[in-house]
């Protein structure tokens, strides 16, 4: 058993590292339209498409290397993989800050995608709280720094990542004990191998398809949120950052206060359904919001969309033993990477088409409308193919419980 003080210290440090990491990611979002327009000389429609290609190369590297990283973390532990990921992310942001051409950005995106670690925490509520908090603070900070220049947030993100790296080096303990490590196998350390391996665990396939459609829809936000806000409402970097900050606050509050109260009452399956419904409504609301103030109304009205991800992850994790949790996260990261390879191309191309000076129909909300359709598809698959018996018992979801690996038991009766 892990010492209680060790657990608490490790929990706090992982939360802090996650928080700083997500702030570092979110800090650059508000300046992307201005940054890419300045770097390439393109208009906002073409800049969005350029941004889509950057997301594609990052996601492609994730898809190729995430299973390898996940398997390495199952063999050597979480700490060294996390530290490598954080340090490489710092280098990536520094490259972006200093870039003098569009192609230099690809170098940074390749490095960041290769080193991305899908195993930064095993507590899914903790991930949600850190994500919500980081996405609340990061865009606001990025928006303020962006007023000083579109490259300044990249320097800020690099500095945060270096601080994050130092925190990990000196303070972060290892969370995977040697008893739960397994030997490295190349056949399991490739994208298709990791996905094939998941077939050994009943029920994972349909949940994986739900994740595919769900994450496909969610790729619309990093792809076009800033571009739609800049084009449709004429928002500045600060205003874009504020909107994302409010979005993040809503998600963090749902994770911290609503999730632990809803799951015991509704169970994981119903909670996931509720989250998917609000996710679909949210995307449809953003598509229809023709004035800027409506964005805030949609954010508040559909904040419960944050309920979807944690129970879905917990349902998936409940089918996998502790020794394969890293592999599971690698497989899920590969699924997510596929969606972020396809999604940005689709959503940025749609945005570019419907905002082009030559378009016959001007509708900058079109990407959000398509995203809503993807979520409706995810909801249909989950409702029809992932029956309630697949859900893990409600008490296994907590907002923050332990640094230990998730416990595994034979839950076949519940599944």
């Amino acid at each position: 058993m892990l010492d209680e003080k060790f657990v608490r210290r490790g929990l706090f440090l992982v939360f802090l590292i996650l928080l700083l990491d997500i702030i570092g990611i979110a800090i650059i979002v508000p300046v992307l339209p201005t940054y890419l327009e300045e770097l390439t000389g393109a208009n906002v429609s073409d800049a969005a498409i350029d941004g889509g290609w950057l997301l594609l190369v990052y996601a492609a590297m994730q898809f190729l290397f995430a299973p390898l990283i996940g398997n390495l973390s199952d063999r050597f532990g979480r700490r060294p993989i996390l530290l490598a990921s954080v340090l490489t992310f710092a280098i990536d942001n520094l490259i972006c800050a200093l870039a003098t051409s569009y192609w230099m950005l690809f170098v940074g995106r390749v490095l960041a995608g290769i080193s991305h670690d899908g195993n930064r925490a095993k507590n899914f509520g903790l991930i949600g709280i850190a994500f919500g908090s980081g996405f609340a603070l990061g865009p606001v900070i990025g928006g303020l720094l962006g007023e000083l220049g579109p490259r300044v947030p990249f320097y800020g993100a690099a500095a945060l990542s270096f601080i994050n790296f130092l925190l990990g080096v000196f303070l972060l303990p290892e969370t995977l004990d040697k008893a739960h490590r397994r030997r490295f196998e190349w056949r399991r350390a490739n994208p298709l191998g990791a996905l094939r391996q998941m077939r050994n665990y009943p029920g994972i396939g349909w949940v994986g398809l739900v994740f595919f459609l769900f994450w496909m829809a969610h790729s619309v936000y990093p792809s076009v949120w800033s571009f739609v806000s800049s084009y449709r409402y004429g928002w500045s970097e600060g205003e874009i950052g504020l909107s994302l900050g409010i979005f993040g606050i809503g998600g963090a509050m749902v994770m911290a206060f609503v999730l632990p109260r809803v799951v015991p009452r509704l169970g994981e399956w119903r909670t996931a359904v509720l989250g998917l419904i609000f996710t679909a409504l949210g995307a449809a609301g953003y598509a229809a919001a023709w004035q800027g103030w409506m964005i805030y109304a949609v954010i508040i009205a559909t904040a419960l969309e944050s309920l979807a991800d944690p129970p879905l992850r917990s349902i998936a994790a409940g089918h996998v033993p502790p020794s394969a949790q890293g592999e599971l996260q690698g497989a899920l990261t590969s699924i997510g990477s596929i969606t972020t390879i396809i999604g940005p191309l689709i959503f940025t191309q749609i945005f570019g088409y419907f905002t082009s000076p030559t378009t016959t129909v001007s509708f900058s909300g079109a990407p959000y409308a398509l995203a809503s359709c993807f979520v409706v598809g995810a909801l249909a698959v989950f409702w029809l193919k992932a029956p309630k018996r697949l859900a893990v018992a409600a008490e296994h979801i907590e907002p923050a419980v332990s640094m230990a690996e998730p416990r595994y038991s034979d839950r076949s009766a519940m599944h």
Side-chain angles (χ1 to χ4, degrees), residues 75-394:
R75 172 64 182 89
F76 298 106
R78 312 304 186 206
R79 183 176 183 273
I81 305 302
L82 186 148
L83 292 177
S85 173
V86 172
L87 180 60
T88 309
F89 184 64
I91 295 172
D92 164 48
N93 279 294
L94 194 57
I95 290 174
C96 291
L98 298 172
T100 57
S101 69
Y102 177 70
W103 297 106
M104 289 181 64
L105 302 182
F106 276 81
V107 176
R109 292 289 81 190
V110 167
L111 290 174
I114 289 176
S115 68
H116 174 82
D117 176 29
N119 303 286
R120 299 187 183 184
K122 292 298 179 187
N123 184 288
F124 307 125
L126 181 64
I127 291 176
I129 296 171
F131 180 88
S133 301
F135 223 82
L137 295 172
V140 175
I141 296 171
L144 294 174
L145 292 177
E147 301 289 345
L148 303 176
R151 294 175 184 265
V152 176
F154 288 97
Y155 286 111
L160 274 178
S161 295
F162 279 120
I163 293 172
N164 217 0
F165 175 75
L166 294 176
L167 282 175
V169 168
F170 293 107
L171 299 175
L172 184 69
E174 177 55 65
T175 63
L176 181 65
D177 58 60
K178 293 184 178 180
H180 286 111
R181 297 184 189 182
R182 61 173 176 82
R183 66 187 182 89
F184 180 84
E185 299 177 69
W186 278 108
R187 66 182 178 84
R188 302 171 73 172
N190 63 82
L192 298 180
L195 293 173
R196 282 196 300 266
Q197 190 68 20
M198 291 298 101
R199 293 184 303 177
N200 296 329
Y201 307 107
I204 289 292
W206 289 116
V207 178
L209 178 57
V210 172
F211 270 120
F212 175 82
L213 295 170
F214 178 65
W215 285 337
M216 187 72 173
H218 265 268
S219 68
V220 73
Y221 299 117
S223 299
V224 300
W225 181 283
S226 298
F227 297 97
V228 172
S229 299
S230 175
Y231 176 88
R232 202 178 201 183
Y233 314 121
W235 283 355
S236 67
E237 290 86 348
E239 290 171 313
I240 294 172
L242 178 62
S243 68
L244 289 169
I246 298 297
F247 183 91
I249 290 172
M253 292 183 67
V254 168
M255 290 290 182
F257 302 112
V258 180
L259 179 67
R261 290 169 173 80
V262 169
V263 172
R265 289 174 173 80
L266 299 182
E268 291 179 348
W269 190 88
R270 290 187 180 90
T271 302
V273 168
L274 183 65
L276 289 171
I277 290 172
F278 275 91
T279 302
L281 292 175
Y286 298 131
W290 68 88
Q291 294 185 20
W293 66 267
M294 295 179 179
I295 290 294
Y296 295 100
V298 175
I299 290 173
I300 294 170
T302 62
L304 291 182
E305 69 178 79
S306 298
L307 292 175
D309 193 83
L312 288 174
R313 287 181 180 272
S314 186
I315 289 170
H319 295 269
V320 177
S323 62
Q325 288 294 323
E327 185 174 54
L328 169 65
Q329 297 309 309
L332 289 179
T333 299
S334 292
I335 293 173
S337 297
I338 293 173
T339 67
T340 50
I341 290 171
I342 302 171
L345 283 183
I346 294 175
F347 292 125
T348 55
Q349 292 287 341
I350 288 176
F351 174 79
Y353 174 79
F354 282 101
T355 59
S356 170
T358 60
T359 186
T360 55
V361 178
S362 180
F363 180 36
S364 58
Y368 295 131
L370 178 60
S372 183
C373 294
F374 281 125
V375 182
V376 171
L379 178 60
V381 172
F382 189 73
W383 185 277
L384 297 173
K385 296 297 184 178
K388 298 176 185 178
R389 60 186 174 83
L390 288 177
V392 181

